Amino acid sequence: MRSGPLDAETILTATEDVLRRHGPAKATVLDVARALGVSHASVYRHFPSKAALREAVTRRWLGRARDPLAAIAADPRQAPPERLHTWFTTLFTAKRTLLSEDPELFATYRVLTAEHSSAAADHVTDLIEQLRVIIADGVTSGDFTSPDPTATARTVFDATMAYHHPAHAPEWQARGSEAALRSICALLIDGLRPR
Amino acid sequence: MRSGPLDAETILTATEDVLRRHGPAKATVLDVARALGVSHASVYRHFPSKAALREAVTRRWLGRARDPLAAIAADPRQAPPERLHTWFTTLFTAKRTLLSEDPELFATYRVLTAEHSSAAADHVTDLIEQLRVIIADGVTSGDFTSPDPTATARTVFDATMAYHHPAHAPEWQARGSEAALRSICALLIDGLRPR
């Protein structure tokens, strides 16, 4: 049995562990409670339902990928065109690393993000807002033109879909995939330059 | 029982029909033979195995999508930037129409193209060659710059993945999807313009 207070973070860490071991189809709240040595009522005190617990663990996972990208998006030391390159290659290599280091967990989170589409949609909105900052900074610096940086952010995110949408994960390990992403970024950046 | 000679085209049409009715997991060569009122030996005379028959029907389906695109790619009446727009919107709307008019057949061909990856790869090579022609024509006309039209063709095909890869089919009916594809094309075309 565990000692000390039970907090939400501890429950989420145990949930991720249970999901990794049992798979998303079989993992239950009781498994999580057992892993923590507490009653399932203690878990429900923090998360009112199994769905709420699964959504919270999904949001935590998506948030973890988010923070290093937010730091890049807001970094004034890199000029906006280079920042856009760095942002996309960081997103791509982070996802590819997650996939290669722990394919079961990656597959688990694919199921969870499909299940909690509002968590996934909020994550995409957040990423597009980061891209908007880079593009707006580029408009200010004279590197880019864009009548609507949010719309442009959505377009560049869309155009790089093959390098962040999990449906394309099987192709990420292919030779030349990072270079192919860089070619798309270079063409998009040229398209954004003023003329 | 049917009369007249049995040709490959007749067998492929019957195969598509059987696949649509039974689904790709259950359809057999015997089903095809029965539908035609012939022995399965007659079918094997044209296609040496079930796999060969399935591959042939897959190639025929992919080829059907190909021809109107080839006509656009080679049409000198449209300037290369407009041709690139037309080519991608034609590819997208053709796929979306196939999906909405016959979702079972679309799902069947998703299974078949995954199974016969060389047929799918040849199809992509063919489409990229069509794009190469448009880009090379644009270089000649002074609308585009590209040090390597084949590589550029691959990049623009990659950047529009969300609008032709079947993994994204569930999103094709969304409002604004065609406009989103047009935004990507416009940005890519701007990226290709000489400066």
Side-chain angles (χ1 to χ4, degrees):
Chain A
M1 297 296 267
R2 62 187 302 288
S3 63
L6 183 69
D7 61 17
E9 199 59 23
T10 306
I11 295 171
L12 293 176
T13 301
T15 304
E16 188 170 285
D17 211 51
V18 164
L19 282 162
R20 187 193 276 112
R21 276 186 289 123
H22 298 227
K26 286 190 193 157
T28 66
V29 173
L30 196 58
D31 293 326
V32 175
R34 266 197 206 116
L36 289 164
V38 302
S39 68
H40 59 287
S42 315
V43 176
Y44 282 123
R45 212 165 292 137
H46 288 271
F47 299 99
S49 66
K50 180 175 164 183
L53 178 58
R54 286 164 82 98
E55 180 168 346
V57 80
T58 306
R59 287 188 183 270
R60 190 178 72 149
W61 192 67
L62 293 170
R64 238 183 271 155
R66 176 200 176 279
D67 295 343
L69 292 167
I72 294 164
D75 184 356
R77 290 168 304 173
Q78 266 203 320
E82 287 70 49
R83 231 191 287 166
L84 203 63
H85 253 304
T86 308
W87 193 90
F88 274 117
T89 49
T90 303
L91 174 64
F92 174 61
T93 53
K95 288 208 163 195
R96 190 175 57 176
T97 303
L98 282 173
L99 171 66
S100 65
E101 285 183 351
D102 200 338
E104 283 78 20
L105 193 65
F106 193 89
T108 292
Y109 277 110
R110 258 204 91 172
V111 173
L112 289 174
T113 47
E115 204 171 273
H116 301 284
S117 56
S118 75
D122 289 350
H123 179 60
V124 169
T125 301
D126 184 16
L127 294 179
I128 285 169
E129 169 56 20
Q130 294 186 16
L131 285 169
R132 186 200 61 76
V133 168
I134 302 176
I135 289 157
D137 281 0
V139 172
T140 305
S141 66
D143 287 302
F144 296 153
T145 47
S146 165
D148 179 348
T150 301
T152 302
R154 198 164 290 127
T155 299
V156 300
F157 192 72
D158 243 26
T160 51
M161 197 66 92
Y163 301 92
H164 46 73
H165 193 292
H168 298 279
E171 302 135 42
W172 293 345
Q173 308 291 344
R175 260 186 71 179
S177 61
E178 196 173 332
L181 169 61
R182 289 194 154 269
S183 296
I184 295 178
C185 288
L187 193 53
L188 295 172
I189 287 166
D190 278 342
L192 288 171
R193 289 192 200 279
R195 56 192 62 245
Chain B
M1 296 297 265
R2 60 187 303 287
S3 61
L6 184 67
D7 61 17
E9 198 60 22
T10 306
I11 295 172
L12 293 176
T13 302
T15 303
E16 186 170 287
D17 212 50
V18 164
L19 283 163
R20 186 194 275 113
R21 276 187 288 120
H22 297 228
K26 286 191 195 156
T28 66
V29 174
L30 196 58
D31 293 326
V32 174
R34 266 197 207 117
L36 289 165
V38 301
S39 68
H40 60 286
S42 316
V43 175
Y44 283 123
R45 212 164 294 136
H46 289 272
F47 300 99
S49 66
K50 180 175 163 182
L53 178 58
R54 286 165 82 99
E55 181 168 345
V57 80
T58 306
R59 287 186 183 271
R60 190 179 71 148
W61 192 67
L62 293 169
R64 238 183 271 155
R66 178 202 175 277
D67 295 343
L69 292 167
I72 294 165
D75 184 358
R77 288 167 305 172
Q78 266 203 321
E82 287 69 50
R83 231 191 286 166
L84 203 64
H85 253 303
T86 307
W87 193 91
F88 275 117
T89 50
T90 303
L91 174 63
F92 174 61
T93 53
K95 288 208 162 197
R96 190 174 58 178
T97 302
L98 282 173
L99 172 66
S100 65
E101 285 182 352
D102 200 336
E104 282 79 20
L105 193 65
F106 192 89
T108 291
Y109 277 109
R110 258 204 89 171
V111 172
L112 289 174
T113 48
E115 205 170 272
H116 301 284
S117 56
S118 76
D122 289 350
H123 178 60
V124 169
T125 301
D126 184 16
L127 294 180
I128 285 170
E129 169 57 20
Q130 295 186 13
L131 285 170
R132 187 200 60 77
V133 169
I134 302 176
I135 289 158
D137 281 0
V139 171
T140 305
S141 66
D143 287 302
F144 296 153
T145 48
S146 166
D148 179 348
T150 301
T152 302
R154 197 164 289 127
T155 299
V156 301
F157 191 73
D158 242 27
T160 50
M161 198 66 93
Y163 301 92
H164 46 74
H165 193 293
H168 298 280
E171 301 135 42
W172 292 347
Q173 309 291 346
R175 260 186 71 178
S177 61
E178 195 173 333
L181 169 61
R182 290 195 152 267
S183 297
I184 295 178
C185 289
L187 193 54
L188 295 172
I189 287 166
D190 278 343
L192 289 170
R193 289 191 199 281
R195 57 191 62 247

